[in-house]
Amino acid sequence: FVDEANRYGIDVLITDHHLPGEEVPAAAAIVNPNQTGCGFASKNLAGVGVAFYLLSGVRRQLRADGWFDDRPIPRLSDYLDLVALGTIADVVPLDRNNRILVNEGIRRIRAGRARPGINALLHYAGADFRNVTARDLAFGVGPRLNAAGRLQDMSLGIECLLSGEDSADEFANALNDINSDRKEIENEMKEQAETALSSIPVTESLVGICLYHREWHQGVVGIVASRIKDKAHRPVIAFARTSETELKGSARSIRGFHIRDALDAIATRNPGLVSKFGG
């Protein structure tokens, strides 16, 4: 994508928070606190946190350039409800910086200044925005937003977050229904995974676990991998079929075992086996 854009003279700006690979895209700029040479102190930012600080930097530069001399200066604090939600939903470590972002975002939600879509999702999750907690965002709002991307189209979740008072409930209701479907699929897949796991002796010699079922949904394998990882305390990759010749897997690892490095080693030793990976 980046190479194609470059051929047309289009500058590409990439924001990311994952550990970069050996080769990075030839973009005009890459904003990632985890890339080599980046001096930004908070390395645990979620993608939404990276975007927030990028906007802060752009605003600072525009102010210095006089852009706002005859224009209103945007208040980035207006977006802290989204920053808090994204930080929690991405399950990044809550270091000092992330705790500040989450705390300020939750304060904004409790004060009734959140987006209508977030308040509507909290309602369907059975939570009161006036007493909202990080747990409500993690287990109430986040799964309902993610369900759209897992089973259908993530644009529905985006529309919900961008919606006004007149349409927020409609979007939140649709996301709630999709999340109910996701739970049913997840429970069935989890039972199948646990049945498969019961036939595997979990001993000290077991380095990792790979699971596959022909009928598994590729949007839910990550949840299954996470559940089995917690149960077996081993790195887990759960696969779903995307075509007759390709499987798509989602990996979850334990502390001390970097799954990306393991996948890199597998891909290097077995050319053509892994078409792409990341995260």
mmCIF file of all heavy atoms in Angstrom, residues 137-184:
data_model
loop_
_atom_site.group_PDB
_atom_site.id
_atom_site.type_symbol
_atom_site.label_atom_id
_atom_site.label_comp_id
_atom_site.label_asym_id
_atom_site.label_seq_id
_atom_site.Cartn_x
_atom_site.Cartn_y
_atom_site.Cartn_z
ATOM 1 N N LEU A 137 -15.955 -0.185 30.872
ATOM 2 C CA LEU A 137 -15.450 0.033 29.519
ATOM 3 C C LEU A 137 -14.830 -1.244 28.956
ATOM 4 O O LEU A 137 -15.000 -1.564 27.776
ATOM 5 C CB LEU A 137 -14.420 1.162 29.515
ATOM 6 C CG LEU A 137 -14.920 2.547 29.943
ATOM 7 C CD1 LEU A 137 -13.780 3.558 29.911
ATOM 8 C CD2 LEU A 137 -16.068 3.018 29.062
ATOM 9 N N ALA A 138 -14.119 -1.982 29.817
ATOM 10 C CA ALA A 138 -13.412 -3.181 29.363
ATOM 11 C C ALA A 138 -14.362 -4.315 29.014
ATOM 12 O O ALA A 138 -14.174 -5.011 28.007
ATOM 13 C CB ALA A 138 -12.425 -3.636 30.436
ATOM 14 N N PHE A 139 -15.388 -4.515 29.843
ATOM 15 C CA PHE A 139 -16.261 -5.678 29.670
ATOM 16 C C PHE A 139 -17.658 -5.333 29.174
ATOM 17 O O PHE A 139 -18.423 -6.240 28.836
ATOM 18 C CB PHE A 139 -16.364 -6.450 30.991
ATOM 19 C CG PHE A 139 -15.052 -7.011 31.456
ATOM 20 C CD1 PHE A 139 -14.332 -6.384 32.462
ATOM 21 C CD2 PHE A 139 -14.517 -8.144 30.873
ATOM 22 C CE1 PHE A 139 -13.107 -6.888 32.888
ATOM 23 C CE2 PHE A 139 -13.299 -8.659 31.287
ATOM 24 C CZ PHE A 139 -12.590 -8.028 32.300
ATOM 25 N N GLY A 140 -17.975 -4.042 29.127
ATOM 26 C CA GLY A 140 -19.289 -3.640 28.659
ATOM 27 C C GLY A 140 -19.262 -2.979 27.299
ATOM 28 O O GLY A 140 -19.910 -3.430 26.349
ATOM 29 N N VAL A 141 -18.473 -1.926 27.180
ATOM 30 C CA VAL A 141 -18.442 -1.160 25.932
ATOM 31 C C VAL A 141 -17.514 -1.798 24.903
ATOM 32 O O VAL A 141 -17.893 -1.994 23.740
ATOM 33 C CB VAL A 141 -18.008 0.296 26.205
ATOM 34 C CG1 VAL A 141 -17.913 1.081 24.897
ATOM 35 C CG2 VAL A 141 -18.996 0.970 27.151
ATOM 36 N N GLY A 142 -16.293 -2.131 25.319
ATOM 37 C CA GLY A 142 -15.306 -2.674 24.387
ATOM 38 C C GLY A 142 -15.787 -3.884 23.602
ATOM 39 O O GLY A 142 -15.693 -3.905 22.364
ATOM 40 N N PRO A 143 -16.311 -4.917 24.265
ATOM 41 C CA PRO A 143 -16.766 -6.101 23.528
ATOM 42 C C PRO A 143 -17.883 -5.807 22.535
ATOM 43 O O PRO A 143 -17.950 -6.429 21.472
ATOM 44 C CB PRO A 143 -17.260 -7.036 24.644
ATOM 45 C CG PRO A 143 -16.478 -6.623 25.847
ATOM 46 C CD PRO A 143 -16.338 -5.137 25.725
ATOM 47 N N ARG A 144 -18.757 -4.872 22.861
ATOM 48 C CA ARG A 144 -19.848 -4.540 21.937
ATOM 49 C C ARG A 144 -19.317 -3.836 20.693
ATOM 50 O O ARG A 144 -19.800 -4.067 19.584
ATOM 51 C CB ARG A 144 -20.896 -3.687 22.657
ATOM 52 C CG ARG A 144 -21.761 -4.516 23.607
ATOM 53 C CD ARG A 144 -22.615 -3.672 24.543
ATOM 54 N NE ARG A 144 -23.572 -4.522 25.257
ATOM 55 C CZ ARG A 144 -23.255 -5.280 26.305
ATOM 56 N NH1 ARG A 144 -22.009 -5.272 26.772
ATOM 57 N NH2 ARG A 144 -24.166 -6.041 26.885
ATOM 58 N N LEU A 145 -18.332 -2.984 20.867
ATOM 59 C CA LEU A 145 -17.710 -2.347 19.705
ATOM 60 C C LEU A 145 -16.931 -3.367 18.878
ATOM 61 O O LEU A 145 -17.023 -3.395 17.648
ATOM 62 C CB LEU A 145 -16.776 -1.228 20.160
ATOM 63 C CG LEU A 145 -17.414 0.097 20.570
ATOM 64 C CD1 LEU A 145 -16.363 1.007 21.173
ATOM 65 C CD2 LEU A 145 -18.085 0.773 19.383
ATOM 66 N N ASN A 146 -16.158 -4.204 19.555
ATOM 67 C CA ASN A 146 -15.318 -5.172 18.851
ATOM 68 C C ASN A 146 -16.134 -6.233 18.128
ATOM 69 O O ASN A 146 -15.682 -6.796 17.124
ATOM 70 C CB ASN A 146 -14.365 -5.855 19.834
ATOM 71 C CG ASN A 146 -13.232 -4.942 20.262
ATOM 72 O OD1 ASN A 146 -12.859 -4.031 19.530
ATOM 73 N ND2 ASN A 146 -12.682 -5.178 21.438
ATOM 74 N N ALA A 147 -17.329 -6.523 18.635
ATOM 75 C CA ALA A 147 -18.147 -7.575 18.031
ATOM 76 C C ALA A 147 -18.453 -7.274 16.571
ATOM 77 O O ALA A 147 -18.506 -8.182 15.735
ATOM 78 C CB ALA A 147 -19.445 -7.746 18.818
ATOM 79 N N ALA A 148 -18.638 -5.995 16.253
ATOM 80 C CA ALA A 148 -18.947 -5.628 14.867
ATOM 81 C C ALA A 148 -17.796 -6.008 13.944
ATOM 82 O O ALA A 148 -17.997 -6.577 12.868
ATOM 83 C CB ALA A 148 -19.233 -4.131 14.776
ATOM 84 N N GLY A 149 -16.565 -5.689 14.368
ATOM 85 C CA GLY A 149 -15.407 -6.028 13.550
ATOM 86 C C GLY A 149 -15.156 -7.521 13.482
ATOM 87 O O GLY A 149 -14.646 -8.029 12.480
ATOM 88 N N ARG A 150 -15.509 -8.237 14.548
ATOM 89 C CA ARG A 150 -15.276 -9.682 14.572
ATOM 90 C C ARG A 150 -16.239 -10.437 13.656
ATOM 91 O O ARG A 150 -15.846 -11.390 12.980
ATOM 92 C CB ARG A 150 -15.416 -10.209 16.001
ATOM 93 C CG ARG A 150 -14.359 -9.699 16.959
ATOM 94 C CD ARG A 150 -14.508 -10.345 18.329
ATOM 95 N NE ARG A 150 -13.625 -9.754 19.317
ATOM 96 C CZ ARG A 150 -12.333 -10.019 19.434
ATOM 97 N NH1 ARG A 150 -11.773 -10.877 18.607
ATOM 98 N NH2 ARG A 150 -11.606 -9.436 20.362
ATOM 99 N N LEU A 151 -17.502 -10.012 13.651
ATOM 100 C CA LEU A 151 -18.516 -10.777 12.928
ATOM 101 C C LEU A 151 -19.005 -10.107 11.651
ATOM 102 O O LEU A 151 -19.431 -10.787 10.723
ATOM 103 C CB LEU A 151 -19.724 -11.044 13.837
ATOM 104 C CG LEU A 151 -19.467 -11.827 15.121
ATOM 105 C CD1 LEU A 151 -20.790 -12.143 15.808
ATOM 106 C CD2 LEU A 151 -18.690 -13.106 14.848
ATOM 107 N N GLN A 152 -18.977 -8.774 11.609
ATOM 108 C CA GLN A 152 -19.534 -8.089 10.442
ATOM 109 C C GLN A 152 -18.575 -7.019 9.928
ATOM 110 O O GLN A 152 -17.574 -7.329 9.309
ATOM 111 C CB GLN A 152 -20.903 -7.485 10.788
ATOM 112 C CG GLN A 152 -21.968 -8.528 11.113
ATOM 113 C CD GLN A 152 -23.339 -7.919 11.296
ATOM 114 O OE1 GLN A 152 -23.619 -6.793 10.887
ATOM 115 N NE2 GLN A 152 -24.233 -8.664 11.931
ATOM 116 N N ASP A 153 -18.881 -5.762 10.241
ATOM 117 C CA ASP A 153 -18.114 -4.642 9.700
ATOM 118 C C ASP A 153 -17.852 -3.639 10.813
ATOM 119 O O ASP A 153 -18.793 -3.145 11.443
ATOM 120 C CB ASP A 153 -18.908 -3.985 8.562
ATOM 121 C CG ASP A 153 -18.129 -2.886 7.863
ATOM 122 O OD1 ASP A 153 -17.047 -2.514 8.357
ATOM 123 O OD2 ASP A 153 -18.603 -2.398 6.831
ATOM 124 N N MET A 154 -16.574 -3.324 11.055
ATOM 125 C CA MET A 154 -16.215 -2.420 12.138
ATOM 126 C C MET A 154 -16.776 -1.021 11.935
ATOM 127 O O MET A 154 -16.877 -0.238 12.885
ATOM 128 C CB MET A 154 -14.688 -2.354 12.267
ATOM 129 C CG MET A 154 -14.207 -1.570 13.481
ATOM 130 S SD MET A 154 -14.850 -2.256 15.026
ATOM 131 C CE MET A 154 -15.081 -0.790 16.002
ATOM 132 N N SER A 155 -17.179 -0.695 10.705
ATOM 133 C CA SER A 155 -17.703 0.647 10.450
ATOM 134 C C SER A 155 -18.945 0.929 11.292
ATOM 135 O O SER A 155 -19.231 2.087 11.612
ATOM 136 C CB SER A 155 -18.031 0.827 8.964
ATOM 137 O OG SER A 155 -19.057 -0.061 8.555
ATOM 138 N N LEU A 156 -19.678 -0.114 11.671
ATOM 139 C CA LEU A 156 -20.853 0.085 12.520
ATOM 140 C C LEU A 156 -20.445 0.631 13.885
ATOM 141 O O LEU A 156 -21.103 1.521 14.438
ATOM 142 C CB LEU A 156 -21.613 -1.235 12.684
ATOM 143 C CG LEU A 156 -22.890 -1.179 13.531
ATOM 144 C CD1 LEU A 156 -23.903 -0.234 12.915
ATOM 145 C CD2 LEU A 156 -23.489 -2.576 13.678
ATOM 146 N N GLY A 157 -19.346 0.112 14.431
ATOM 147 C CA GLY A 157 -18.847 0.626 15.704
ATOM 148 C C GLY A 157 -18.371 2.057 15.582
ATOM 149 O O GLY A 157 -18.596 2.885 16.482
ATOM 150 N N ILE A 158 -17.718 2.367 14.470
ATOM 151 C CA ILE A 158 -17.252 3.739 14.244
ATOM 152 C C ILE A 158 -18.438 4.686 14.134
ATOM 153 O O ILE A 158 -18.437 5.785 14.705
ATOM 154 C CB ILE A 158 -16.386 3.798 12.974
ATOM 155 C CG1 ILE A 158 -15.124 2.949 13.160
ATOM 156 C CG2 ILE A 158 -16.009 5.241 12.642
ATOM 157 C CD1 ILE A 158 -14.297 2.787 11.908
ATOM 158 N N GLU A 159 -19.465 4.253 13.399
ATOM 159 C CA GLU A 159 -20.668 5.080 13.264
ATOM 160 C C GLU A 159 -21.302 5.343 14.625
ATOM 161 O O GLU A 159 -21.799 6.440 14.893
ATOM 162 C CB GLU A 159 -21.682 4.392 12.344
ATOM 163 C CG GLU A 159 -21.280 4.351 10.882
ATOM 164 C CD GLU A 159 -21.369 5.710 10.217
ATOM 165 O OE1 GLU A 159 -21.985 6.625 10.802
ATOM 166 O OE2 GLU A 159 -20.820 5.869 9.117
ATOM 167 N N CYS A 160 -21.272 4.343 15.489
ATOM 168 C CA CYS A 160 -21.846 4.519 16.825
ATOM 169 C C CYS A 160 -21.086 5.590 17.602
ATOM 170 O O CYS A 160 -21.692 6.455 18.242
ATOM 171 C CB CYS A 160 -21.820 3.190 17.583
ATOM 172 S SG CYS A 160 -22.567 3.263 19.230
ATOM 173 N N LEU A 161 -19.762 5.549 17.540
ATOM 174 C CA LEU A 161 -18.956 6.523 18.278
ATOM 175 C C LEU A 161 -19.079 7.926 17.695
ATOM 176 O O LEU A 161 -18.891 8.916 18.405
ATOM 177 C CB LEU A 161 -17.489 6.088 18.280
ATOM 178 C CG LEU A 161 -17.174 4.810 19.052
ATOM 179 C CD1 LEU A 161 -15.702 4.452 18.914
ATOM 180 C CD2 LEU A 161 -17.543 4.949 20.523
ATOM 181 N N LEU A 162 -19.391 8.019 16.406
ATOM 182 C CA LEU A 162 -19.534 9.326 15.761
ATOM 183 C C LEU A 162 -20.964 9.849 15.801
ATOM 184 O O LEU A 162 -21.211 11.001 15.443
ATOM 185 C CB LEU A 162 -19.080 9.236 14.294
ATOM 186 C CG LEU A 162 -17.595 8.953 14.043
ATOM 187 C CD1 LEU A 162 -17.332 8.794 12.547
ATOM 188 C CD2 LEU A 162 -16.729 10.063 14.615
ATOM 189 N N SER A 163 -21.893 9.022 16.228
ATOM 190 C CA SER A 163 -23.313 9.373 16.143
ATOM 191 C C SER A 163 -23.703 10.440 17.158
ATOM 192 O O SER A 163 -23.038 10.646 18.174
ATOM 193 C CB SER A 163 -24.173 8.126 16.356
ATOM 194 O OG SER A 163 -23.965 7.598 17.659
ATOM 195 N N GLY A 164 -24.817 11.092 16.868
ATOM 196 C CA GLY A 164 -25.378 12.077 17.784
ATOM 197 C C GLY A 164 -26.473 11.466 18.632
ATOM 198 O O GLY A 164 -26.748 10.263 18.568
ATOM 199 N N GLU A 165 -27.118 12.303 19.416
ATOM 200 C CA GLU A 165 -28.168 11.827 20.316
ATOM 201 C C GLU A 165 -29.309 11.149 19.563
ATOM 202 O O GLU A 165 -29.953 10.238 20.084
ATOM 203 C CB GLU A 165 -28.723 13.007 21.127
ATOM 204 C CG GLU A 165 -27.728 13.648 22.074
ATOM 205 C CD GLU A 165 -27.470 12.809 23.314
ATOM 206 O OE1 GLU A 165 -28.139 11.761 23.466
ATOM 207 O OE2 GLU A 165 -26.610 13.205 24.125
ATOM 208 N N ASP A 166 -29.558 11.574 18.329
ATOM 209 C CA ASP A 166 -30.712 11.068 17.591
ATOM 210 C C ASP A 166 -30.528 9.646 17.072
ATOM 211 O O ASP A 166 -31.514 8.947 16.811
ATOM 212 C CB ASP A 166 -31.032 11.999 16.412
ATOM 213 C CG ASP A 166 -29.847 12.170 15.474
ATOM 214 O OD1 ASP A 166 -28.702 11.995 15.937
ATOM 215 O OD2 ASP A 166 -30.067 12.481 14.286
ATOM 216 N N SER A 167 -29.277 9.189 16.915
ATOM 217 C CA SER A 167 -29.060 7.868 16.316
ATOM 218 C C SER A 167 -28.186 6.942 17.153
ATOM 219 O O SER A 167 -28.000 5.780 16.789
ATOM 220 C CB SER A 167 -28.428 8.029 14.928
ATOM 221 O OG SER A 167 -27.207 8.758 15.010
ATOM 222 N N ALA A 168 -27.654 7.420 18.267
ATOM 223 C CA ALA A 168 -26.731 6.612 19.069
ATOM 224 C C ALA A 168 -27.384 5.330 19.566
ATOM 225 O O ALA A 168 -26.779 4.252 19.535
ATOM 226 C CB ALA A 168 -26.205 7.429 20.252
ATOM 227 N N ASP A 169 -28.630 5.421 20.019
ATOM 228 C CA ASP A 169 -29.293 4.238 20.564
ATOM 229 C C ASP A 169 -29.496 3.173 19.492
ATOM 230 O O ASP A 169 -29.356 1.976 19.760
ATOM 231 C CB ASP A 169 -30.642 4.625 21.170
ATOM 232 C CG ASP A 169 -31.306 3.449 21.869
ATOM 233 O OD1 ASP A 169 -30.893 3.132 23.004
ATOM 234 O OD2 ASP A 169 -32.217 2.835 21.275
ATOM 235 N N GLU A 170 -29.812 3.597 18.287
ATOM 236 C CA GLU A 170 -30.016 2.641 17.193
ATOM 237 C C GLU A 170 -28.733 1.859 16.913
ATOM 238 O O GLU A 170 -28.757 0.630 16.770
ATOM 239 C CB GLU A 170 -30.460 3.389 15.937
ATOM 240 C CG GLU A 170 -30.647 2.495 14.720
ATOM 241 C CD GLU A 170 -31.017 3.285 13.472
ATOM 242 O OE1 GLU A 170 -31.272 4.498 13.589
ATOM 243 O OE2 GLU A 170 -31.036 2.679 12.383
ATOM 244 N N PHE A 171 -27.613 2.566 16.841
ATOM 245 C CA PHE A 171 -26.338 1.895 16.588
ATOM 246 C C PHE A 171 -25.953 0.992 17.763
ATOM 247 O O PHE A 171 -25.483 -0.133 17.571
ATOM 248 C CB PHE A 171 -25.239 2.925 16.344
ATOM 249 C CG PHE A 171 -25.302 3.576 14.993
ATOM 250 C CD1 PHE A 171 -25.516 4.941 14.878
ATOM 251 C CD2 PHE A 171 -25.146 2.830 13.835
ATOM 252 C CE1 PHE A 171 -25.571 5.548 13.628
ATOM 253 C CE2 PHE A 171 -25.202 3.426 12.579
ATOM 254 C CZ PHE A 171 -25.419 4.792 12.477
ATOM 255 N N ALA A 172 -26.137 1.492 18.979
ATOM 256 C CA ALA A 172 -25.768 0.708 20.157
ATOM 257 C C ALA A 172 -26.614 -0.554 20.260
ATOM 258 O O ALA A 172 -26.115 -1.621 20.650
ATOM 259 C CB ALA A 172 -25.928 1.558 21.419
ATOM 260 N N ASN A 173 -27.885 -0.452 19.911
ATOM 261 C CA ASN A 173 -28.767 -1.619 19.946
ATOM 262 C C ASN A 173 -28.307 -2.675 18.941
ATOM 263 O O ASN A 173 -28.285 -3.876 19.242
ATOM 264 C CB ASN A 173 -30.200 -1.188 19.640
ATOM 265 C CG ASN A 173 -31.181 -2.336 19.743
ATOM 266 O OD1 ASN A 173 -31.074 -3.170 20.637
ATOM 267 N ND2 ASN A 173 -32.130 -2.401 18.824
ATOM 268 N N ALA A 174 -27.922 -2.228 17.747
ATOM 269 C CA ALA A 174 -27.431 -3.160 16.729
ATOM 270 C C ALA A 174 -26.146 -3.837 17.198
ATOM 271 O O ALA A 174 -25.965 -5.052 17.024
ATOM 272 C CB ALA A 174 -27.200 -2.420 15.414
ATOM 273 N N LEU A 175 -25.253 -3.071 17.806
ATOM 274 C CA LEU A 175 -24.006 -3.640 18.315
ATOM 275 C C LEU A 175 -24.271 -4.616 19.452
ATOM 276 O O LEU A 175 -23.588 -5.642 19.579
ATOM 277 C CB LEU A 175 -23.078 -2.521 18.794
ATOM 278 C CG LEU A 175 -22.464 -1.646 17.701
ATOM 279 C CD1 LEU A 175 -21.793 -0.420 18.312
ATOM 280 C CD2 LEU A 175 -21.462 -2.441 16.872
ATOM 281 N N ASN A 176 -25.259 -4.316 20.262
ATOM 282 C CA ASN A 176 -25.609 -5.213 21.363
ATOM 283 C C ASN A 176 -26.099 -6.558 20.832
ATOM 284 O O ASN A 176 -25.753 -7.620 21.369
ATOM 285 C CB ASN A 176 -26.692 -4.563 22.225
ATOM 286 C CG ASN A 176 -26.927 -5.303 23.522
ATOM 287 O OD1 ASN A 176 -26.030 -5.450 24.345
ATOM 288 N ND2 ASN A 176 -28.147 -5.785 23.711
ATOM 289 N N ASP A 177 -26.896 -6.525 19.765
ATOM 290 C CA ASP A 177 -27.386 -7.769 19.157
ATOM 291 C C ASP A 177 -26.233 -8.580 18.562
ATOM 292 O O ASP A 177 -26.181 -9.809 18.708
ATOM 293 C CB ASP A 177 -28.415 -7.453 18.068
ATOM 294 C CG ASP A 177 -29.729 -6.938 18.632
ATOM 295 O OD1 ASP A 177 -29.972 -7.140 19.841
ATOM 296 O OD2 ASP A 177 -30.499 -6.325 17.866
ATOM 297 N N ILE A 178 -25.316 -7.891 17.886
ATOM 298 C CA ILE A 178 -24.164 -8.584 17.298
ATOM 299 C C ILE A 178 -23.314 -9.207 18.394
ATOM 300 O O ILE A 178 -22.798 -10.322 18.255
ATOM 301 C CB ILE A 178 -23.325 -7.610 16.445
ATOM 302 C CG1 ILE A 178 -24.137 -7.102 15.257
ATOM 303 C CG2 ILE A 178 -22.044 -8.292 15.954
ATOM 304 C CD1 ILE A 178 -23.447 -5.994 14.476
ATOM 305 N N ASN A 179 -23.177 -8.498 19.507
ATOM 306 C CA ASN A 179 -22.378 -9.025 20.610
ATOM 307 C C ASN A 179 -23.014 -10.279 21.203
ATOM 308 O O ASN A 179 -22.310 -11.201 21.629
ATOM 309 C CB ASN A 179 -22.213 -7.962 21.695
ATOM 310 C CG ASN A 179 -21.203 -8.354 22.752
ATOM 311 O OD1 ASN A 179 -20.064 -8.698 22.440
ATOM 312 N ND2 ASN A 179 -21.608 -8.317 24.010
ATOM 313 N N SER A 180 -24.335 -10.331 21.228
ATOM 314 C CA SER A 180 -25.020 -11.539 21.702
ATOM 315 C C SER A 180 -24.704 -12.722 20.792
ATOM 316 O O SER A 180 -24.459 -13.841 21.266
ATOM 317 C CB SER A 180 -26.530 -11.301 21.761
ATOM 318 O OG SER A 180 -26.849 -10.297 22.707
ATOM 319 N N ASP A 181 -24.693 -12.465 19.480
ATOM 320 C CA ASP A 181 -24.325 -13.523 18.530
ATOM 321 C C ASP A 181 -22.879 -13.952 18.752
ATOM 322 O O ASP A 181 -22.555 -15.148 18.696
ATOM 323 C CB ASP A 181 -24.495 -13.026 17.093
ATOM 324 C CG ASP A 181 -25.942 -12.742 16.736
ATOM 325 O OD1 ASP A 181 -26.838 -13.280 17.417
ATOM 326 O OD2 ASP A 181 -26.183 -11.971 15.780
ATOM 327 N N ARG A 182 -22.015 -12.975 19.008
ATOM 328 C CA ARG A 182 -20.604 -13.284 19.247
ATOM 329 C C ARG A 182 -20.431 -14.180 20.461
ATOM 330 O O ARG A 182 -19.630 -15.127 20.452
ATOM 331 C CB ARG A 182 -19.834 -11.971 19.433
ATOM 332 C CG ARG A 182 -18.309 -12.108 19.507
ATOM 333 C CD ARG A 182 -17.801 -12.313 20.912
ATOM 334 N NE ARG A 182 -18.239 -11.287 21.830
ATOM 335 C CZ ARG A 182 -18.085 -11.363 23.146
ATOM 336 N NH1 ARG A 182 -17.531 -12.438 23.691
ATOM 337 N NH2 ARG A 182 -18.523 -10.393 23.933
ATOM 338 N N LYS A 183 -21.189 -13.926 21.512
ATOM 339 C CA LYS A 183 -21.094 -14.740 22.723
ATOM 340 C C LYS A 183 -21.470 -16.191 22.442
ATOM 341 O O LYS A 183 -20.826 -17.126 22.940
ATOM 342 C CB LYS A 183 -22.003 -14.169 23.809
ATOM 343 C CG LYS A 183 -21.502 -12.877 24.434
ATOM 344 C CD LYS A 183 -22.469 -12.401 25.510
ATOM 345 C CE LYS A 183 -21.990 -11.121 26.161
ATOM 346 N NZ LYS A 183 -22.952 -10.631 27.189
ATOM 347 N N GLU A 184 -22.532 -16.393 21.648
ATOM 348 C CA GLU A 184 -22.953 -17.756 21.328
ATOM 349 C C GLU A 184 -21.871 -18.491 20.539
ATOM 350 O O GLU A 184 -21.552 -19.651 20.821
ATOM 351 C CB GLU A 184 -24.260 -17.716 20.528
ATOM 352 C CG GLU A 184 -25.465 -17.231 21.321
ATOM 353 C CD GLU A 184 -26.742 -17.262 20.506
ATOM 354 O OE1 GLU A 184 -26.714 -17.833 19.389
ATOM 355 O OE2 GLU A 184 -27.762 -16.728 20.971
#
